[in-house]
Amino acid sequence: MLPTDYVGFTFFIGCMAMMAASAFFFLSLSQFDKKWRVSVLVSGLITFIAAVHYFYMRDYWASFGESPTFFRYVDWVLTVPLMCLEFYLILKIAGAKQSLLWKMIVYSLVMLVTGYFGEAVDPTNAWLWGLVSGVAYFAIVYEIWLGEASKLAKAAGGEVLSAHKILCWFVLVGWAIYPLGYMLGTEGWYTSLLGKGNVDVAYNIADAINKIGFGLVIYNLAVKSTKD
């Protein structure tokens, strides 16, 4: 890997950061009450899955010099539903039902599958696939900011409400890089406004911030709740 290969470098840093975060979350499990261990475990699984895929993405980039779209979407299709699971787990204290969990998982899968079709399978209709993906993304945003999840967080109050709000900001701001990257990476009317380019560096940085950040919010909630 050349010293000027910033894409490859961020793949390497992302892999190491995710693996370190996984070790941190897994090794801290014993200090929490049982009701929070699953949430922290899921945080560790999210970063561990990402670390494994980043290892393959780095090698793919080094070998072919192309964006590892397939591996990236495989990573997302596993980790994003787990991030939706985190919302359900922290809101169980307020009576969250499995219907909320499955609704958010379906939204996330629609968002990712249609995004992949637009980028890799049917790029000539990228605008249509992107539209469907965007609608699913905003359905998640609505659910956590204004829908059932928001109401449950307010009912729970305290540290759960605070953690929920931070996670909501991660989804609204942190996840926004992905639809932007989709538009930069595919042909469509938006390329006349945004141009077209490689956004792997931005994806890599965003993945690390979003996935590790999600986990740290859950970890902080578990620490404070265990002390109480």
Side-chain angles (χ1 to χ4, degrees):
M1 189 167 61
L2 297 174
T4 55
D5 185 358
Y6 299 113
V7 175
F9 179 72
T10 53
F11 275 124
F12 175 75
I13 293 297
C15 181
M16 294 299 100
M18 301 289 191
M19 190 60 72
S22 300
F24 174 76
F25 293 134
F26 290 148
L27 292 174
S28 68
L29 283 174
S30 61
Q31 67 180 288
F32 302 119
D33 295 335
K34 284 186 177 180
K35 66 179 180 180
W36 295 113
R37 286 179 190 170
V38 175
S39 297
V40 178
L41 175 63
V42 170
S43 297
L45 289 175
I46 290 170
T47 51
F48 179 75
I49 291 170
V52 172
H53 283 90
Y54 263 65
F55 177 81
Y56 285 103
M57 285 191 274
R58 181 198 63 186
D59 285 355
Y60 185 92
W61 171 264
S63 299
F64 303 103
E66 297 177 356
S67 182
T69 303
F70 173 77
F71 289 110
R72 196 178 288 285
Y73 271 93
V74 172
D75 170 30
W76 289 342
V77 85
L78 294 173
T79 56
V80 173
L82 286 176
M83 294 168 86
C84 291
L85 173 62
E86 293 284 39
F87 280 99
Y88 167 73
L89 290 174
I90 69 172
L91 294 175
K92 282 181 70 177
I93 191 174
K97 298 179 180 179
Q98 289 189 2
S99 58
L100 171 65
L101 170 62
W102 289 114
K103 182 168 32 175
M104 292 185 64
I105 287 178
V106 168
Y107 289 155
S108 68
L109 291 176
V110 170
M111 175 181 71
L112 294 166
V113 171
T114 54
Y116 179 73
F117 265 75
E119 280 201 59
V121 179
D122 186 24
T124 56
N125 291 308
W127 69 271
L128 178 59
W129 294 111
L131 176 62
V132 177
S133 181
V135 169
Y137 164 68
F138 283 111
I140 295 174
V141 171
Y142 174 83
E143 189 61 51
I144 60 178
W145 278 96
L146 301 171
E148 182 183 353
S150 174
K151 296 173 183 176
L152 288 168
K154 291 176 182 176
E159 296 298 336
V160 171
L161 177 59
S162 298
H164 176 82
K165 285 183 176 178
I166 296 173
L167 295 181
C168 285
W169 280 109
F170 269 109
V171 173
L172 182 63
V173 179
W175 290 18
I177 184 63
Y178 304 117
L180 178 62
Y182 178 90
M183 290 188 288
L184 286 170
T186 58
E187 291 288 353
W189 62 267
Y190 32 75
T191 52
S192 62
L193 300 174
L194 301 173
K196 187 177 179 182
N198 188 303
V199 290
D200 279 301
V201 172
Y203 274 159
N204 295 347
I205 295 173
D207 266 355
I209 293 174
N210 288 326
K211 291 171 183 174
I212 297 174
F214 240 70
L216 291 175
V217 172
I218 299 298
Y219 173 85
N220 184 58
L221 172 61
V223 168
K224 291 183 177 180
S225 299
T226 300
K227 287 181 180 178
D228 295 339

